[in-house]
Amino acid sequence: MNKLIIVGNGFDIHNKLPTKYTDFLIWYLTNCFESSSKDDGKYRELIGISYSKIYQGNNCIEITDYKQLALWLMTEFNFESSGYSPDFISNGGMFKFHLTSKSELFLRLMSHQRERNWVDIEMTYYKLLKDCLSLFNTIGEEEKAEKRLKKINADFELLKSFLYEYLKIVSEEAKVEYNFDYCADESIDSKIIIDKHHLKNIQEEDYRDSRYIKAKDVTILNFNYTGLPYQLNRRKYNHIDIHGSVKRQNNPIIFGFGDEIDSDYLEMEKTNNNDFLTYIKSFGYFNNTNYKQLIDLIDSDSYVVYIWGHSCGLSDRTLLNMIFEHDNCAAIKPYYWQRDANTDNYLEITQNISRHFRNKQKMRNRVVNKEFCSALGSQN
């Protein structure tokens, strides 16, 4: 029996990497303001910034650096308004900024962040594709839809390039908490496996004792880009960076959406317009052997899935459906986020996992109940 560890962004965050999309947008806006002060045009393809020095202002906001200005912008500013900011004081000077969005995608991201205090770039992008699909199917609006779609794709490519730059910077000094190494290497608890046919071919010598099974192979399926799991070395782990890596030039990052089960995606295919498919993740899998390595693994033997910090959201639905519903999948053990002493996100993770199952009986037989699960970063 094998072990497949699915690693998501919660793993990087737990190990103190600032890899939330919100962190990235703050970095991007900070660079936009710094670029504006140098008047070099860099980073400002998605946002227009101009500012003027003033000598009298009302209710001025004091700022110390561009990051503080970016933080204010993320939570307070409405790009859909006139674009004029309140007055700011910095280093004894008084300024007024004029901000405009050059991108429908970026505007949607900022509005979502301001209203809900979080953002999912890939999901926001896909919702805009759906808007374009609706326009495309409206009589007389096809040309307008095609133009809009090309602009959204161009802006998404820009965000992807900026994200790559940001992740290269923040991933340089990250360290993995040692407990993850012990967790990856631990034996598989046979009590979490409901479908007992997975246990029939396991030999006596494969058990550590009467209950725990020694995993033949441990594969880390990394959905992140930072390469952090390579620091785990308690045993020889197999690594599949399914969405690429900022550490390896021959494995470019795959950034986009991956729900080909969605009915709207099927309608996008029917339009015969490939611009709808530009950033669908499956097409990125054809660029290397990562996907084949995963197929070979799950076809080879029964396996137990561990989930480290992956929300199991819809942006990876096609791939997760294949893993979770495969006949060799024996159990799915999510490691939940412990928010405080009394609350965690175990229920939310299991609800998300359920969306990747067409066969709900398989889902009930495979998702490990909370009694046998534990918090992310623990050894159990």
Side-chain angles (χ1 to χ4, degrees), residues 34-197:
E34 289 180 351
S35 172
S36 177
S37 70
K38 299 171 185 175
D39 199 28
D40 62 8
K42 190 179 180 183
Y43 299 108
R44 286 184 287 147
E45 295 91 341
L46 303 175
I47 178 176
I49 301 175
S50 61
Y51 67 94
S52 56
K53 192 169 185 178
I54 58 176
Y55 299 95
Q56 185 174 357
N58 297 309
N59 300 318
C60 292
I61 299 171
E62 187 168 358
I63 59 170
T64 56
D65 55 32
Y66 289 122
K67 183 176 181 180
Q68 187 179 352
L69 184 57
L71 285 166
W72 175 87
L73 195 69
M74 291 284 288
T75 57
E76 302 293 335
F77 188 71
N78 183 1
F79 275 98
E80 295 171 316
S81 65
S82 64
Y84 282 101
S85 72
D87 304 327
F88 291 95
I89 296 176
S90 179
N91 296 323
M94 193 176 298
F95 303 88
K96 182 183 288 291
F97 287 89
H98 184 246
L99 309 167
T100 54
S101 171
K102 300 178 181 179
S103 162
E104 181 183 8
L105 172 61
F106 185 74
L107 178 61
R108 190 76 63 92
L109 291 173
M110 293 300 293
S111 297
H112 197 284
Q113 174 66 40
R114 181 169 53 85
E115 293 165 5
R116 306 189 190 184
N117 199 33
W118 68 275
V119 68
D120 183 334
I121 295 176
E122 292 171 313
M123 180 63 78
T124 302
Y125 167 73
Y126 188 60
K127 286 181 178 177
L128 282 173
L129 291 192
K130 291 186 175 189
D131 291 347
C132 287
L133 176 65
S134 178
L135 188 63
F136 191 90
N137 290 330
T138 302
I139 296 175
E141 299 291 343
E142 183 175 338
E143 185 176 341
K144 182 178 178 181
E146 289 177 344
K147 184 178 179 180
R148 182 182 177 190
L149 180 56
K150 286 183 181 297
K151 178 66 166 70
I152 291 168
N153 279 342
D155 293 344
F156 191 78
E157 177 61 29
L158 277 171
L159 277 175
K160 177 182 171 182
S161 67
F162 294 142
L163 180 64
Y164 179 88
E165 181 181 348
Y166 173 70
L167 292 177
K168 282 201 69 158
I169 295 169
V170 300
S171 63
E172 287 303 316
E173 298 182 3
K175 299 295 181 185
V176 176
E177 192 176 285
Y178 72 91
N179 272 351
F180 285 102
D181 224 342
Y182 287 100
C183 180
D185 189 38
E186 72 175 0
S187 300
I188 298 167
D189 186 351
S190 61
K191 283 195 172 183
I192 69 174
I193 299 173
I194 293 176
D195 290 330
K196 300 304 179 187
H197 71 272

Side-chain angles (χ1 to χ4, degrees), residues 6 36 104 116 162 167 219 261 302 310 313 322 366 374 376:
I6 291 177
S36 177
E104 181 183 8
R116 306 189 190 184
F162 294 142
L167 292 177
T219 297
I261 301 171
S302 293
H310 196 300
M322 179 187 73
R366 294 178 183 180
S374 52
L376 186 67

Side-chain angles (χ1 to χ4, degrees), residues 207-224:
Y207 281 89
R208 193 185 76 196
D209 53 31
S210 59
R211 174 174 171 179
Y212 293 94
I213 306 163
K214 293 178 288 187
K216 287 194 301 185
D217 290 301
V218 178
T219 297
I220 298 175
L221 182 66
N222 187 14
F223 282 73
N224 300 335

Side-chain angles (χ1 to χ4, degrees), residues 272-290:
N272 202 32
N273 185 326
N274 287 339
D275 286 338
F276 281 108
L277 313 182
T278 302
Y279 294 104
I280 298 302
K281 289 177 178 175
S282 285
F283 299 104
Y285 299 149
F286 298 145
N287 291 326
N288 51 47
T289 62
N290 290 335

Side-chain angles (χ1 to χ4, degrees), residues 221-269:
L221 182 66
N222 187 14
F223 282 73
N224 300 335
Y225 310 109
T226 59
L228 206 55
Y230 285 92
Q231 294 185 23
L232 303 176
N233 55 20
R234 187 172 172 83
R235 66 176 282 179
K236 182 175 173 54
Y237 304 115
N238 305 313
H239 292 267
I240 302 175
D241 295 323
I242 193 66
H243 286 159
S245 172
V246 297
K247 304 283 189 181
R248 291 165 177 78
Q249 291 187 348
N250 63 346
N251 193 9
I253 68 171
I254 297 172
F255 188 55
F257 205 76
D259 184 5
E260 294 148 66
I261 301 171
D262 182 64
S263 58
D264 284 323
Y265 174 79
L266 300 177
E267 290 301 314
M268 291 176 194
E269 286 188 323

